[in-house]
Amino acid sequence: MSMNVGLPAYEQIREILREEIITGEIPSGTNLKKAELADRFGVSPMPVREALQWLKGEGLVSALPHRGYKVISIDEDFIRNIFEVRTAMEELLARNSIPHRADSDIDKLIAINEKIAALSNHEQLNEIVSLDKLFHTTLYQYSTNPIASEIYEKYRALIYTLRKNCGFSSNRLAEITDQHSEIIDSIMKGNEGDLEKLIRKHKNGAMDDLLQRFKIAQSI
Amino acid sequence: MSMNVGLPAYEQIREILREEIITGEIPSGTNLKKAELADRFGVSPMPVREALQWLKGEGLVSALPHRGYKVISIDEDFIRNIFEVRTAMEELLARNSIPHRADSDIDKLIAINEKIAALSNHEQLNEIVSLDKLFHTTLYQYSTNPIASEIYEKYRALIYTLRKNCGFSSNRLAEITDQHSEIIDSIMKGNEGDLEKLIRKHKNGAMDDLLQRFKIAQSI
DNA sequence: CAGTGGTCTAGACCACGGG
DNA sequence: CCGTGGTCTAGACCACTGT
């Protein structure tokens, strides 16, 4: 098989399965059997097992002892759940980045947001998502909590993959830059309490939009 | 070695290493070598590897590619970090349990808190911690977010282990039941906004107390 | 009690890092 | 360039599930 790249087999298997689960190529409820997968990827049981355990940690598969791994339902509830966790981490990261922020960071945030605004007219999905990611990592760059950062990054990547499959609503794009501006304002004013609320608002907006797009994608 | 119990080797190794890291038996900065550990536990490389990867996921060891696993510093920053994550999850779990709570749950919470109060005079550490755990799992029992629950449980267990090594300050015990009462009151009044604030207050209290006890334990 | 899940072995192999 | 880290193999084995 195509286990040719430099990456370890368990990582490749993990990425492939994740993509296939999220896109629905492997339907919800499918039983993932060790033997089948080992056969499919041309590897021994151990790398398959590791991939499945990781996906279980991500919440994409469920496991009952001695009853194997099963693909969960990628439904609205699941999307809500990962958004809730990611948002909680973002509130935390934003909060403990505050004391360390420099003026130059605010300039950087403004510049990124202007780039997003410029692209929004042309709906260039991947670039917008990349810039949005950059905006938020800049916002959280001084966080001193690597555990929270890791959880954040895990679900950011997952939502990114979902977003690639669903796209944005057209009115969401203007909302993003507006909400980023609000966040920048609250930082300049040094208003810590507001920042958390604005981030939650921003993330709830993102979630609502993705849920809407997801429902549309499902109904096709 | 004593790989006799029914649990898988990687779990036993994980638990042993976690305990030893938290108690300082394996000092911060120690390089954990696959070969040494495999030898020590009388197993092959794979279970050792799995245990280390899990501990890395918990944040107890760091790993640089091709430079092995290293025990992190169990210091105030680390304790703060895991408390922040756990607290964020608890706020989330409490928030989305609210719509499903029944009156009987409130009675149960009151009963648990009374038991804690009764024990507090005798400073029975393990029982108090168990009841505290029960109080909070009751508080979050209707959460519909299994991903958040799993993260919560992971760090709850870690903090529990730390607490076993440090104990409570004597004045903390009264504080716990008081803050639990405040939480119960806010639920009875249906005050959602307050609940999150009270949980954060409760958890910050727990963190400050553990940090204080930790410093004392360190200085001995 | 057959089938499968879950784990472990005892090495082998390659890639990388540091002297 | 040697040592070690990191991963994989190709089975074996036991525990549990469900028919």
Side-chain angles (χ1 to χ4, degrees):
Chain A
M1 68 118 16
S2 54
M3 291 290 132
N4 36 15
V5 204
L7 291 169
Y10 72 91
E11 281 189 23
Q12 293 182 54
I13 294 169
R14 197 177 69 195
E15 301 307 311
I16 292 170
L17 290 179
R18 192 199 346 258
E19 186 83 18
E20 291 181 347
I21 290 170
I22 286 178
T23 62
E25 200 171 330
I26 303 179
S28 294
T30 304
N31 258 45
L32 297 169
K33 294 182 192 170
K34 159 189 106 165
E36 263 177 31
L37 292 171
D39 195 47
R40 167 180 169 195
F41 293 109
V43 296
S44 62
M46 294 303 280
V48 170
R49 188 184 156 217
E50 241 171 306
L52 290 173
Q53 287 198 330
W54 183 280
L55 293 173
K56 184 193 161 204
E58 263 179 33
L60 283 171
V61 306
S62 63
L64 291 176
H66 279 278
R67 252 179 279 177
Y69 294 87
K70 208 172 58 133
V71 176
I72 62 139
S73 292
I74 309 293
D75 53 15
E76 292 184 41
D77 283 340
F78 175 74
I79 293 175
R80 244 182 268 277
N81 290 341
I82 59 177
F83 259 99
E84 281 183 354
V85 170
R86 193 188 67 164
T87 302
M89 288 302 104
E90 293 196 61
E91 289 172 18
L92 196 170
L93 293 172
R95 194 188 324 140
N96 71 19
S97 287
I98 290 173
H100 311 97
R101 198 126 40 203
D103 286 348
S104 62
D105 302 319
I106 296 177
D107 297 339
K108 197 176 165 191
L109 289 172
I110 293 172
I112 295 167
N113 202 32
E114 281 170 359
K115 277 194 201 167
I116 296 175
L119 281 170
S120 291
N121 303 320
H122 309 81
E123 304 204 10
Q124 308 187 42
L125 187 60
N126 281 327
E127 284 81 357
I128 292 171
V129 174
S130 293
L131 284 168
D132 189 71
K133 177 186 167 186
L134 183 60
F135 184 90
H136 289 279
T137 52
T138 303
L139 204 53
Y140 312 140
Q141 69 182 311
Y142 298 114
S143 162
T144 53
N145 192 330
I147 296 172
S149 297
E150 206 161 299
I151 298 171
Y152 164 65
E153 179 52 29
K154 188 162 158 179
Y155 292 104
R156 192 206 55 71
L158 201 52
I159 290 168
Y160 177 101
T161 306
L162 272 165
R163 188 56 98 173
K164 273 200 300 187
N165 278 278
C166 298
F168 291 99
S169 305
S170 54
N171 61 320
R172 176 66 192 151
L173 296 170
E175 240 176 63
I176 289 174
T177 50
D178 286 353
Q179 293 177 349
H180 283 178
S181 294
E182 286 181 340
I183 289 169
I184 293 169
D185 282 351
S186 91
I187 293 171
M188 294 203 298
K189 286 176 190 148
N191 196 334
E192 180 171 345
D194 265 11
L195 180 56
E196 264 182 81
K197 278 180 208 147
L198 289 173
I199 284 182
R200 195 177 293 186
K201 176 183 163 193
H202 182 43
K203 295 302 154 176
N204 282 340
M207 180 175 77
D208 292 341
D209 184 59
L210 182 56
L211 281 172
Q212 194 184 323
R213 301 289 298 179
F214 178 75
K215 275 187 268 190
I216 293 169
Q218 290 294 88
S219 64
I220 292 171
Chain B
M1 69 122 8
S2 56
M3 291 289 134
N4 37 14
V5 204
L7 291 169
Y10 73 91
E11 281 189 23
Q12 294 183 52
I13 295 169
R14 197 178 66 195
E15 302 307 311
I16 292 170
L17 290 179
R18 183 193 297 129
E19 187 84 19
E20 291 182 347
I21 290 170
I22 286 177
T23 61
E25 199 171 329
I26 302 179
S28 294
T30 305
N31 257 39
L32 297 169
K33 294 182 194 172
K34 157 190 108 166
E36 264 178 30
L37 292 170
D39 195 46
R40 168 180 169 194
F41 294 108
V43 297
S44 62
M46 294 303 280
V48 171
R49 188 184 155 215
E50 242 172 304
L52 290 174
Q53 287 198 330
W54 183 280
L55 294 173
K56 184 193 161 203
E58 262 180 33
L60 283 171
V61 305
S62 62
L64 291 175
H66 279 277
R67 251 179 280 177
Y69 293 87
K70 208 172 59 136
V71 176
I72 62 139
S73 293
I74 309 293
D75 53 14
E76 292 184 40
D77 284 340
F78 175 74
I79 294 176
R80 243 182 268 277
N81 291 341
I82 60 178
F83 259 99
E84 281 183 354
V85 170
R86 191 188 68 163
T87 302
M89 289 302 104
E90 293 195 62
E91 289 172 18
L92 196 170
L93 293 171
R95 195 187 323 141
N96 71 21
S97 286
I98 290 173
H100 312 98
R101 199 127 39 204
D103 285 349
S104 61
D105 302 319
I106 295 177
D107 296 339
K108 197 175 166 193
L109 289 172
I110 292 172
I112 296 167
N113 201 34
E114 280 170 359
K115 278 194 202 167
I116 296 175
L119 281 170
S120 292
N121 304 321
H122 308 81
E123 303 205 9
Q124 308 187 42
L125 187 60
N126 282 327
E127 284 81 357
I128 292 170
V129 174
S130 292
L131 285 167
D132 189 72
K133 177 186 166 184
L134 183 59
F135 184 90
H136 289 278
T137 52
T138 303
L139 204 53
Y140 312 141
Q141 69 182 311
Y142 298 114
S143 162
T144 53
N145 193 330
I147 297 172
S149 298
E150 207 161 300
I151 298 171
Y152 165 64
E153 179 52 30
K154 187 160 156 180
Y155 292 104
R156 193 207 54 72
L158 200 53
I159 290 168
Y160 177 101
T161 307
L162 272 164
R163 188 57 96 174
K164 272 199 302 188
N165 277 279
C166 298
F168 291 99
S169 305
S170 53
N171 61 320
R172 175 67 192 151
L173 296 169
E175 239 176 64
I176 288 174
T177 50
D178 286 353
Q179 293 177 348
H180 283 179
S181 295
E182 286 181 340
I183 288 170
I184 292 168
D185 282 351
S186 91
I187 292 171
M188 294 202 298
K189 287 176 188 148
N191 196 334
E192 179 171 346
D194 263 12
L195 181 56
E196 264 182 83
K197 277 180 209 148
L198 288 172
I199 285 183
R200 195 177 295 187
K201 176 183 164 192
H202 182 43
K203 295 302 154 177
N204 283 338
M207 179 175 78
D208 291 342
D209 184 59
L210 182 56
L211 281 173
Q212 194 184 322
R213 300 290 298 179
F214 179 75
K215 274 187 269 192
I216 292 168
Q218 291 293 88
S219 65
I220 292 169

